[in-house]
């Protein structure tokens, strides 16, 4: 459930009319609902019953510091994949003991930063990464906490680009290789094995893949029991799908219930790394029509602002900010970028003309974070709505921000 709704035909975010936000900050603009973010974080946090749980919001989904602060205050930790995301999480005031570092390509510098800041765990994805981490920690005379990411070889049944748990994907190691890495950890004086982790993909609409992966994790835990190897946590990653086109989704409590059934009787803590299911429906993008041309509404937002439709042919619902009773079918919402692939929505039923405002929905995850300056378009601002108030949490870029880092301007 989110907090975007109509009051007398005007679209609101919580108690703020979106028209007022557009008047104040212009378009395109990303708007987030604080109440929705908090509600979704609580939907996870309050669902742990028999297991001790930790929800590490996946920063890659939406990384604005104000958002991270909101989620931190709701009790979340963070799943990060870069030094930049560590920087953001720390700026938001995150407890380092609630930060886990995922990703296949951690650099030495990123390892040093994670160790210096005493993060909860490095989720290690290969033998070479484990050796590097051991060496970096030894040089620092520190002990690095490690969770091994195993690849359960399950197909999450999602878009080809967002499957991560098949043998052929670049992520994690096979169960057999995980056992070897676990043994290596116990032999290294600079590594401490603290967990087991996996993540099978994103926008997943069925429990089966999650359950298959959890059952494999359980088998491995039982084998480790026999070797007297104890772990602090099992981290099942993120991946829960959200409603983009009215699909039925799995609720966080159902997912957690199913994990708690599989891991019944275990003492490890259960960590989850949701991104999309916390932030996607907490965000909309406001855009205004520049021109109407045949069946196209040419708006002021483009693929540089929201890449998902162009990259994945993803569908995002589009709602008029002022509801009308007219709707023309087969309208496409396209941007000003010089590519045919630059569209936000295709063949939808809406009515619009120059100056009309629209809200592109479900863009709070993998929306602003995937935006770019393509076609030298300054990035849109981000705005947080909190009850009947709204405030800027990232300014609109201007032309000087586009060129600020460029050098050699003298002849
Ligand atoms: N943990 C790991 C290790 C991940 O790689 C991801 C996402 C997550 C957690 C969070 O997954 P979520 O709960 O958000 O599904 N750009 C794509 C999605 C890429 C997801 C990458 N990894 C999109 O727009 O659909």
């Amino acid at each position: 459930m989110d907090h975007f709704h109509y009051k007398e035909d005007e679209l609101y975010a919580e108690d703020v009319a979106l028209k007022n936000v557009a008047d104040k900050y212009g378009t395109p603009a990303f708007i987030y609902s604080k109440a929705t973010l908090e509600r979704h974080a609580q939907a996870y946090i309050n669902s742990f019953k028999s297991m001790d749980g930790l929800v590490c919001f996946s920063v890659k989904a939406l990384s604005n510091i104000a958002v991270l602060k909101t989620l931190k205050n709701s009790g979340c930790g963070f799943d990060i994949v870069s030094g930049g995301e560590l920087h953001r999480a720390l700026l938001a005031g995150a407890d380092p003991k609630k930060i886990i570092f995922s990703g296949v390509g951690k650099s030495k510098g990123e390892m040093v930063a994670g160790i210096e800041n005493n993060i909860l765990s490095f989720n290690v994805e290969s033998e070479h990464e484990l050796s590097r981490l051991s060496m970096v920690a030894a040089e620092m005379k520190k002990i690095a906490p490690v969770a091994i990411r195993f690849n359960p070889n399950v197909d999450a049944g999602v878009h080809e680009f967002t499957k991560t748990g098949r043998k052929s994907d670049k992520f994690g190691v096979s169960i057999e290789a995980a056992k070897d890495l676990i043994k290596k950890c116990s032999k290294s004086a600079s590594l401490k094995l603290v967990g087991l982790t996996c993540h099978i993909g994103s926008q997943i609409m069925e429990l089966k893949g999650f359950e298959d992966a959890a059952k494999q994790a359980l088998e491995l835990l039982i084998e480790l029991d026999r070797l007297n190897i104890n772990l602090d946590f099992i981290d099942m990653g993120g991946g829960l799908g959200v409603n983009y086109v009215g699909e039925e989704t799995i609720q966080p409590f159902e997912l957690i219930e199913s994990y708690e059934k599989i891991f019944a009787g275990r003492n490890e803590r259960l960590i989850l790394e949701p991104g999309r299911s916390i932030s996607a429906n907490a965000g909309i993008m406001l855009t205004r029509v520049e021109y109407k041309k045949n069946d196209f509404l040419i708006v002021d937002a483009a693929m540089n602002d929201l890449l998902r439709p162009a990259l994945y042919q993803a569908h995002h619902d589009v709602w008029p900010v002022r509801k009308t009773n007219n709707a023309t079918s087969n309208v496409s919402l396209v941007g000003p970028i010089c590519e045919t692939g630059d569209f936000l929505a295709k063949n939808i039923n809406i009515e619009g003309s120059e100056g009309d405002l629209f809200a592109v929905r479900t863009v709070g995850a993998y929306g602003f974070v995937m935006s770019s300056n393509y076609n030298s378009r300054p990035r849109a601002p981000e705005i947080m709505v909190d009850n009947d108030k709204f405030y800027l949490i990232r300014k609109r870029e201007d032309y000087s921000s586009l060129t600020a880092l460029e050098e050699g301007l003298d002849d």
Side-chain angles (χ1 to χ4, degrees), residues 288-293 297-298 352-358:
R288 203 182 278 281
V289 177
E290 295 281 6
Y291 302 99
K292 185 172 165 56
K293 178 180 178 184
L297 286 180
I298 303 170
S353 53
E354 189 180 327
D356 286 349
L357 277 175
F358 288 96

Side-chain angles (χ1 to χ4, degrees), residues 60 79 81 101-104 106 121-127 129-130 146-152 162-166 169-175 177-179 181-182 193 195-202 220 235-238 273:
K60 64 175 83 63
D79 158 50
V81 287
F101 202 146
S102 309
V104 291
K106 299 174 196 79
S121 167
F122 288 92
N123 287 359
V124 167
E125 308 221 13
S126 67
E127 184 175 354
E129 185 191 337
L130 192 75
V146 170
I148 303 296
R149 176 164 175 180
F150 75 98
N151 181 325
T162 60
K163 290 176 183 174
T164 55
R166 299 164 303 176
D169 297 323
K170 69 178 175 184
F171 300 97
V173 296
S174 69
I175 292 271
K179 288 180 203 162
L181 295 193
I182 286 168
L193 183 72
L196 190 63
T197 174
C198 74
H199 168 79
I200 59 170
S202 199
L220 189 48
D235 170 0
M236 292 303 297
E273 306 169 2

Side-chain angles (χ1 to χ4, degrees), residues 6-123:
Y6 285 98
K7 279 189 203 168
E8 290 168 10
D9 292 344
E10 275 292 323
L11 187 56
Y12 276 67
E14 303 187 21
D15 289 327
V16 169
L18 287 172
K19 179 186 170 302
N20 296 342
V21 184
D23 285 348
K24 179 147 189 196
Y25 293 115
T27 53
F30 284 84
I31 324 287
Y32 309 122
S33 150
K34 193 171 180 203
T36 310
L37 289 166
E38 289 168 343
R39 184 191 179 100
H40 291 172
Q42 291 309 321
Y44 273 95
I45 291 170
N46 295 336
S47 293
F48 292 94
K49 298 280 180 289
S50 58
M51 292 178 91
D52 178 21
L54 175 64
V55 177
C56 289
F57 175 68
S58 198
V59 173
K60 64 175 83 63
L62 176 56
S63 55
N64 186 291
I65 302 166
V67 169
L68 302 186
K69 254 191 195 154
T70 300
L71 294 173
K72 179 210 70 173
N73 291 339
S74 294
C76 291
F78 298 105
D79 158 50
I80 58 164
V81 287
S82 69
E85 289 190 352
L86 176 62
H87 175 70
R88 285 180 173 279
L90 294 174
L91 277 181
D95 175 356
K97 282 291 164 225
K98 288 187 177 177
I99 296 179
I100 47 176
F101 202 146
S102 309
V104 291
K106 299 174 196 79
S107 68
K108 280 186 187 162
E110 289 175 326
M111 289 175 173
V112 169
I115 294 172
E116 268 173 356
N117 284 289
N118 288 315
I119 62 168
L120 176 61
S121 167
F122 288 92
N123 287 359

Side-chain angles (χ1 to χ4, degrees), residues 373 376-380 394-406:
N373 291 126
S376 284
R377 289 167 51 84
R379 255 177 276 234
R394 191 181 201 274
K395 288 183 199 156
R396 182 183 302 284
E397 292 180 355
D398 58 16
Y399 293 151
S400 66
S401 22
L402 289 179
T403 51
L405 300 178
E406 290 176 25

